[in-house]
Amino acid sequence: MNLEPTEEQRQIVATVRRFVREEIVPLEAKLDPDASELPPEDFARLTAQVRAMGFWGLDIPGEYGGAGVDLVTRTLMAVEMSQHRAGLYVPCYGVFGTAGLAQLYEATAAQKERYLMPMLRGEKRGFFGLTEPSGGSDPARAIRTRAVKDGSDWVINGSKIFISGADRAHFGLVFARTDADKGRGGITCFIVDTDMKGFHVRRVVHTLRSSSYATELQFEDLRVPEGNVLGEIGKGFAIANDRLTRQRIPYAAACIGVAVKAQAMAIDYAKQRETFGAPLATRQAVQWMIVDNEIDIQTSLWLTLAAAHKADRGEPYRMEAGMAKLVATEAGGRVVDRAMQIHGGYGMTKDLPFERWYREMRIRRVGEGPNEVQRHVIARDLLGGGLR
Amino acid sequence: MSIRMTKPWIELTPAAMATLPGQLGVYQLADAEGRVVYIGAAGGRTLFGLRSELERALAERPAGATRFRFEVNQQYTTRHLELLMLHVADHGSLPVVNATDPPPRLGRLSPL
């Protein structure tokens, strides 16, 4: 398998790298170290630049106006786009556009008109409401939010937790149990407008990722029209599985990008910082940390690119995407940790981006499916069906 | 856990400034009637954290502020937004000074 980038991909990478270094990094010098948004005027200016480059909407299918790039190119771009302080969770502060909720691409024409298209135009925001206080890794069993048919409406009662962006959203996807006896087959996905009576954002949930918060939601007799069922009744988990698998690859790539940047900073520092009359780079302890970093980076990169190549060839790639997510998130954490160690006291300060990367990288092992669940899914693929 | 800030108010005086920490966090300013007039945060770019911010408040006394209270909090960004949302939920609007420069797209809370 040839994983070397093409000439066109090399040019794209160089363009994105220049954009990050010349446009994003200088702005960050003026922002709070925990900022997750650009000032509106900078956001508008840079979004226009990205549109002019033809890169806006990287994760939006071409037929919906997105850039329509293949997954290998997307991966290479993601590695570059994350190489700044906020890059792990908000690469380039979102000026390349976001795909929003992948499930909406499977919506009816009327639902797309009302929710998907305004979301892609940036006029509406959505949230993804799956995890509940009773659990998130096994939602099929953990979901206790109930939806009961009443005339032509569904009435939803229950709660959700760790939901990002619900307090600022216009609508959201809420997974609720419509059949108590059917386990996974008893879950239905509803599109819920946040101005509906009975929709409550009860509290902010603070996390390690102090640049952004999650929320806890409560639904009290929330009445949703039948037309807001997304997909089929009882098939909430069947929606957009392929798109969700696809998202794990840029998720892994962002971890690699941060690791690449941390490693570059560690190498620079090790060469210039002297202790006991010689640069840190001459010390075997530091050399080995840098070597181990590079092994972690290269391992993650090749695994992630291999998954992306397989997806682009149209072959099943769920297992490879899970491996990429798993390896890149764990390797990324180790690389940032070693880079901090090499930087000593400065590595712990908010003057440098490491402390933010350190906190946020820890979340990546849990987000987008905990790594233990990834291992569980990979085991099922390796060992065959019948395993639960 | 109380999500509202409930610490006792402190008079906004030069003597009080000397006791303030240089750490990061959030704070509220109130007028003589006890109305919260401003909710602020001392972020990672402040020179001496809460002390810098509150010394500025002492010098400027925005909206006639006479007292303050604070929390040392590393999660100053999200706590600041939470306090602003709580104020809107409790009073229907932002504090008078924050209302002159509102944060873009502040969320909505309906706390119990």
Side-chain angles (χ1 to χ4, degrees):
Chain A
M1 187 191 305
N2 180 13
L3 297 180
E4 286 299 315
T6 64
E7 185 51 38
E8 184 186 11
Q9 286 167 339
R10 286 183 200 279
Q11 287 178 14
I12 290 172
V13 163
T15 303
V16 175
R17 184 173 298 169
R18 194 163 53 243
F19 180 82
V20 171
R21 291 179 181 177
E22 293 179 4
E23 301 291 352
I24 300 295
V25 172
L27 283 178
E28 279 192 330
K30 300 173 202 156
L31 296 175
D32 185 271
D34 267 333
S36 58
E37 292 182 357
L38 291 175
E41 60 276 15
D42 288 318
F43 182 84
R45 175 177 60 81
L46 294 179
T47 300
Q49 275 190 36
V50 169
R51 281 184 185 275
M53 291 191 289
F55 292 151
W56 188 86
L58 290 177
D59 298 314
I60 299 172
E63 62 265 35
Y64 292 93
V69 297
D70 59 80
L71 199 47
V72 171
T73 307
R74 175 72 181 92
T75 301
L76 294 168
M77 293 176 81
V79 170
E80 296 300 324
M81 288 164 58
S82 59
Q83 292 187 35
H84 60 98
R85 188 189 293 262
L88 194 56
Y89 274 95
V90 273
C92 296
Y93 293 89
V95 298
F96 282 74
T98 58
L101 299 163
Q103 291 82 356
L104 284 177
Y105 293 104
E106 318 296 325
T108 65
Q111 290 169 342
K112 284 180 183 172
E113 190 60 32
R114 183 165 177 193
Y115 299 106
L116 176 64
M117 301 315 291
M119 185 181 70
L120 296 181
R121 290 193 297 266
E123 297 161 7
K124 283 189 175 179
R125 289 168 169 251
F127 72 85
F128 185 75
L130 178 66
T131 301
E132 301 199 359
S134 50
S137 295
D138 180 19
R141 291 174 184 81
I143 286 179
R144 294 182 185 167
T145 293
R146 296 285 306 275
V148 177
K149 195 77 186 286
D150 182 30
S152 61
D153 292 342
W154 289 86
V155 178
I156 302 178
N157 281 282
S159 60
K160 299 283 177 184
I161 197 164
F162 303 134
I163 309 302
S164 299
D167 59 311
R168 306 202 308 185
H170 300 85
F171 68 92
L173 305 185
V174 171
F175 292 78
R177 190 168 295 285
T178 47
D179 189 326
D181 301 323
K182 287 192 176 169
R184 190 179 180 85
I187 304 296
T188 302
C189 181
F190 297 88
I191 307 174
V192 168
D193 290 288
T194 56
D195 59 0
M196 286 173 163
K197 190 178 173 208
F199 178 89
H200 304 289
V201 182
R202 287 304 188 200
R203 71 179 179 105
V204 162
V205 182
H206 301 279
T207 69
L208 273 177
R209 191 185 158 204
S210 53
S211 61
S212 182
Y213 53 80
T215 61
E216 182 169 347
L217 309 181
Q218 186 181 15
F219 314 120
E220 286 184 316
D221 292 330
L222 177 66
R223 191 167 280 274
V224 179
E226 199 167 43
N228 278 31
V229 172
L230 183 59
E232 295 178 44
I233 302 292
K235 293 190 176 174
F237 287 131
I239 304 167
N241 269 336
D242 183 61
R243 290 185 199 279
L244 294 174
T245 300
R246 187 182 173 91
Q247 286 177 0
R248 289 195 190 116
I249 294 177
Y251 189 89
C255 298
I256 298 167
V258 164
V260 167
K261 184 67 180 173
Q263 168 77 329
M265 292 173 71
I267 289 173
D268 281 351
Y269 191 74
K271 285 180 176 174
Q272 56 159 292
R273 178 69 165 180
E274 292 196 1
T275 55
F276 307 105
L280 284 178
T282 64
R283 314 290 181 197
Q284 188 184 52
V286 172
Q287 290 171 355
W288 285 21
M289 281 194 269
I290 285 170
V291 171
D292 288 344
N293 276 355
E294 196 62 24
I295 292 168
D296 272 333
I297 290 167
Q298 295 290 337
T299 308
S300 308
L301 182 61
W302 293 118
L303 203 53
T304 305
L305 283 172
H309 272 279
K310 206 167 178 194
D312 283 345
R313 290 197 303 270
E315 298 171 19
Y317 66 104
R318 186 178 68 167
M319 184 172 78
E320 287 78 5
M323 285 184 185
K325 187 271 178 187
L326 194 160
V327 171
T329 55
E330 294 182 358
R334 290 192 295 268
V335 171
V336 170
D337 183 80
R338 292 188 200 106
M340 289 175 90
Q341 189 69 20
I342 290 168
H343 277 78
Y346 290 114
M348 313 299 142
T349 67
K350 283 188 179 293
D351 295 353
L352 297 176
F354 297 114
E355 62 86 28
R356 179 168 177 176
W357 291 338
Y358 185 80
R359 287 182 283 114
E360 294 186 345
M361 196 68 88
R362 179 63 188 84
I363 302 173
R364 303 292 267 204
R365 284 161 50 196
V366 172
E368 198 72 18
N371 287 1
E372 292 71 25
V373 173
Q374 302 296 338
R375 286 184 167 88
H376 178 64
V377 170
I378 293 165
R380 276 199 308 217
D381 280 358
L382 291 171
L383 296 167
L387 286 171
R388 293 173 64 83
Chain B
M1 183 184 74
S2 172
I3 57 176
R4 291 171 177 81
M5 197 185 274
T6 55
K7 288 184 172 181
W9 292 104
I10 303 168
E11 291 302 312
L12 191 57
T13 62
M17 297 301 110
T19 66
L20 288 173
Q23 287 154 297
L24 310 182
V26 292
Y27 62 96
Q28 291 179 329
L29 303 176
D31 63 16
E33 282 73 47
R35 282 187 299 262
V36 174
V37 296
Y38 182 68
I39 300 171
R45 299 270 182 234
T46 51
L47 198 54
F48 291 103
L50 285 159
R51 193 186 314 154
S52 298
E53 287 292 298
L54 286 160
E55 281 175 348
R56 189 158 55 87
L58 173 68
E60 297 175 0
R61 293 201 179 265
T66 61
R67 57 184 90 170
F68 71 97
R69 57 188 173 190
F70 67 91
E71 284 178 8
V72 172
N73 196 328
Q74 285 289 318
Q75 291 164 313
Y76 53 85
T77 305
T78 53
R79 180 62 172 145
H80 182 224
L81 291 171
E82 179 182 36
L83 290 172
L84 291 172
M85 287 189 280
L86 284 167
H87 195 278
V88 172
D90 291 344
H91 302 283
S93 63
L94 286 167
V96 59
V97 180
N98 295 101
T100 62
D101 184 22
R105 296 191 299 274
L106 186 68
R108 287 175 297 131
L109 277 186
S110 45
L112 289 170

